[in-house]
Amino acid sequence: MTLVARHGALSDIGLHRKTNEDTYVVRPPLYAVCDGMGGANAGEVASGLAAETLASEVAAGTPLHAAAEAANAAVFQRAHDNLEQTGMGTTLTAFVLESGTARFAHIGDSRAYLLRDGELRQVSDDHSLVGEMVRDGRLTEAEAAVHPHRSILSRALGTEPQARIDEFTEDLLPG
């Protein structure tokens, strides 16, 4: 099957932030979004460096998960080398189209959805405090949406030397 992907990308600062810390990659067959951690230093630096590293690694033939690990190492090293950027991190949700599948790498709470038969289905798990509480049955989805700690990440790219990055595939269908 030959895949043709219609795509677009748009970022918005939202209602509560002073700076936009989003970076996206649209370089078929790679698509990705990184959102810098707003409560930490240099989130925009982390998201930009992660996206740039991921894109260059994938373009060089590195498999997606290994490219995401390289992005983690680049952000972690930059934070270690620059006092003003200590503690920076970012989410990463990326996929590469391969034949009839999408291969994903994901960490943080930027989400991936699959549109099938007119319905959106979330295919990534939120790596956040409230995401874990929902999965454990301690919060409902409705409670999580308004929880005061809904923005606290439990996993992010660049905050540790080795990141636990989810990897999964989804079969794609025409349309």
Side-chain angles (χ1 to χ4, degrees):
M1 163 179 23
T2 300
L3 291 175
V4 176
R6 289 179 305 212
H7 57 269
L10 176 67
S11 179
D12 186 90
I13 194 170
L15 300 174
H16 303 290
R17 303 257 186 239
K18 293 182 178 160
T19 59
N20 189 343
E21 298 184 349
D22 299 345
T23 304
Y24 54 83
V25 177
V26 179
R27 295 186 194 164
L30 172 66
Y31 301 85
V33 63
C34 298
D35 182 6
M37 294 179 354
N41 292 328
E44 72 286 355
V45 174
S47 69
L49 179 58
E52 173 186 310
T53 303
L54 182 82
S56 65
E57 289 285 329
V58 169
T62 304
L64 181 60
H65 193 266
E69 290 174 332
N72 181 73
V75 174
F76 184 80
Q77 189 63 49
R78 175 81 58 91
H80 178 64
D81 292 346
N82 296 286
L83 187 59
E84 312 81 45
Q85 297 170 346
T86 298
M88 73 176 177
T90 184
T91 68
L92 168 70
T93 302
F95 70 93
V96 171
L97 296 176
E98 298 175 344
S99 300
T101 64
R103 179 171 303 284
F104 286 85
H106 167 73
I107 186 168
D109 64 354
S110 295
R111 294 178 173 174
Y113 293 88
L114 181 66
L115 177 62
R116 173 124 339 127
D117 297 325
E119 292 192 27
L120 278 177
R121 176 176 57 93
Q122 185 176 338
V123 295
S124 59
D125 289 326
D126 288 353
H127 301 140
S128 65
L129 175 65
V130 297
E132 291 176 8
M133 293 171 78
V134 168
R135 283 189 294 282
D136 291 345
R138 294 182 284 155
L139 281 181
T140 66
E141 291 284 346
E143 292 168 329
V146 296
H147 195 280
H149 298 127
R150 66 186 171 273
S151 298
I152 297 176
L153 297 178
S154 55
R155 288 166 42 190
L157 203 73
T159 59
E160 299 179 61
Q162 299 294 315
R164 286 187 1 237
I165 302 166
D166 291 350
E167 180 177 27
F168 56 96
T169 61
E170 288 286 337
D171 291 331
L172 303 177
L173 300 174

